[in-house]
């Protein structure tokens, strides 16, 4: 198995748009065709659009685009910009005189970072579509990750900056990749060593402390709202919508290995799974690889972030030799 650039997965274009002053943005994936897709939502507070389409009992066979964004539920308006972009190009399900694009969206809560009154809208999402290409996709505080943060159990004053991350691998012609926006209540751990790499900081702010241990000490304390990790896994393997729902479910193991706690009622955690090719592939292998690349993408989302809005980044606490 070898790591490849995320965009080497093929089958789609991707683009970011953001307002870094306000601390919000969006990231779009435009598929070459109607890509079969599934979804698994584990968090208790999701902000999502059109996810019932991905139920195997529904008629829709796939998606023309997927949008990840900030703005909490306000950001769901942004999908209209993707719809407009695709409709203008005749992309969508033909229904009489119109083509209706099938677009799903999930949003993170970033209203407490930067300016809470500025949210992704149709114009920003349209710009992300115009920016979409097959060239390498930037990681860090870009796109939907512009306002992402982690370690918020005791408020933003103890949190750290996070962002958007990707990872992809190839194994004998099979390709599996992940893209994720990490905006978790919990702390982030290295996939390999298990060591904490970002999360809640001590009152002095110079080192990490454990959110899990703080929760155990506090007992029945209510969790603060405003957290969500949203992501997607992509494979060139050919799968049905039902199979992709299972792959999305298995990919959540990548969340569990790198985020603690995760899937709480104060998080809106969701993962999409999409087939962007026609290679023969075995479901359990792809699901296992999906969890692996998702964990790597989560790590990359925090290690590639930079300090913003008074929140330090991972390299501030764990500087490396240049």
């Amino acid at each position: 198995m070898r790591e490849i650039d995320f965009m080497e997965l093929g089958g789609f274009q991707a683009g970011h748009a953001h307002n870094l002053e306000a601390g919000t943005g969006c990231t779009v994936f435009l598929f070459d065709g109607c890509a079969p897709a599934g979804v698994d939502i584990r968090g208790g507070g999701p902000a999502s659009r059109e996810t019932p389409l991905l139920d195997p009992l529904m008629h829709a066979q796939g998606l023309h685009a997927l949008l990840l964004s900030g703005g909490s539920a306000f950001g769901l308006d942004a999908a209209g910009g993707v719809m407009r972009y695709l409709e203008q190009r005749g992309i969508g399900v033909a229904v009489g005189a119109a083509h209706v694009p099938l677009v799903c969206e999930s949003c993170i809560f970033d209203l407490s970072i930067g300016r809470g009154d500025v949210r992704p809208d149709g114009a920003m999402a349209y710009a992300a579509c115009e920016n979409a290409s097959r060239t390498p996709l930037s990681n860090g505080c870009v796109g939907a990750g512009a306002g992402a943060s982690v370690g918020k159990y005791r408020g933003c004053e103890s949190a750290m900056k996070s962002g958007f991350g990707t990872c992809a691998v190839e194994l004998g012609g099979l390709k599996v990749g992940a893209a994720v926006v990490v905006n978790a209540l919990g702390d982030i751990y290295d996939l390999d060593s298990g060591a904490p790499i970002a999360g809640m900081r001590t009152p002095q702010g110079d080192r990490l402390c454990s959110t899990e241990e703080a929760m155990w000490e506090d007992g029945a304390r209510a969790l603060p709202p405003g957290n969500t990790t949203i992501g997607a896994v992509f494979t060139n393997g050919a799968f049905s919508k039902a199979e992709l729902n299972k792959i999305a479910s298995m990919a959540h193991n990548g969340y569990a290995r790198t985020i603690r706690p995760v899937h709480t009622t104060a998080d809106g955690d969701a993962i999409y799974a999409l087939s962007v090719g026609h290679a023969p592939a075995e479901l359990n292998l792809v699901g296992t690889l999906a969890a692996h690349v998702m964990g790597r993408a989560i790590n990359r989302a925090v290690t590639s972030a930079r300090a913003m809005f008074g929140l330090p980044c991972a390299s501030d606490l764990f500087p490396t030799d240049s």
Side-chain angles (χ1 to χ4, degrees):
M1 183 173 70
R2 69 181 184 93
E3 186 166 333
I4 59 174
D5 181 80
F6 174 72
M7 295 305 296
E8 289 183 51
L9 290 163
F12 62 91
Q13 299 181 67
H16 297 304
H18 45 241
N19 181 328
L20 295 183
E21 180 182 352
T24 196
C26 57
T27 300
V28 70
F29 304 92
L30 304 174
F31 303 110
D32 293 351
C34 189
V39 67
D40 189 350
I41 299 173
R42 300 274 181 99
S48 57
R49 177 189 187 276
E50 292 274 54
T51 51
L53 289 176
L54 307 186
D55 185 323
L57 297 178
M58 300 299 107
H59 177 67
Q61 298 305 299
L63 296 180
H64 297 104
L66 172 65
L67 182 65
L68 306 179
S69 86
S72 187
F74 296 108
L76 293 173
D77 284 346
V82 181
M83 296 279 289
R84 185 169 69 255
Y85 179 89
L86 294 175
E87 183 188 24
Q88 290 171 352
R89 287 153 179 80
I91 297 172
V93 177
V95 287
H99 286 80
V100 180
L102 302 181
V103 180
C104 279
E105 178 185 6
S106 283
C107 305
I108 66 165
F109 185 104
D110 56 7
L111 305 182
S112 56
I113 299 295
R115 288 184 54 184
D117 61 338
V118 176
R119 300 99 182 220
D121 57 12
M124 182 182 285
Y126 194 97
C129 293
E130 292 182 313
N131 293 336
S133 72
R134 302 182 195 276
T135 59
L137 191 62
S138 298
N139 287 196
C141 301
V142 294
S149 56
V150 297
K152 292 169 281 187
Y153 177 65
R154 287 186 171 149
C156 285
E157 60 272 16
S158 301
M160 291 181 64
K161 192 70 183 73
S162 180
F164 172 86
T166 60
C167 179
V169 297
E170 182 176 17
L171 179 63
L174 173 66
K175 299 177 183 179
V176 182
V180 64
V181 184
V182 183
N183 190 57
L185 169 78
D187 308 319
I188 310 303
Y189 293 80
D190 183 80
L191 182 65
D192 295 322
S193 69
I197 56 175
M200 186 172 69
R201 293 172 292 129
T202 62
Q204 295 76 24
D206 59 346
R207 58 188 178 88
L208 298 176
C209 55
S210 169
T211 295
E212 285 185 317
E213 291 182 7
M215 290 175 66
W216 299 335
E217 293 171 1
D218 293 345
R221 173 178 172 170
L223 298 180
N227 320 282
T228 293
T229 297
I230 52 176
V233 294
F234 305 77
T235 178
N236 67 340
F239 291 102
S240 69
K241 189 161 61 167
E243 291 171 323
L244 288 161
N245 273 274
K246 178 59 177 176
I247 291 170
S249 176
M250 294 179 72
H252 272 283
N253 291 329
Y255 280 21
R257 292 170 188 163
T258 54
I259 305 172
R260 298 204 299 267
V262 72
H263 301 144
T264 73
T265 57
D267 290 282
D269 303 329
I271 295 179
Y272 296 86
L274 300 113
S275 175
V276 293
H278 305 284
E282 200 275 325
L283 184 152
N284 294 295
L285 172 60
V286 172
T288 301
L289 288 172
H292 174 78
V293 293
M294 182 58 76
R296 287 255 183 267
I298 289 168
N299 283 177
R300 195 159 292 161
V302 299
T303 58
S304 61
R306 60 187 176 90
M308 296 175 67
F309 309 110
L311 299 181
C313 61
S315 62
D316 292 330
L317 267 66
F318 304 101
T320 56
D321 295 332
S322 57

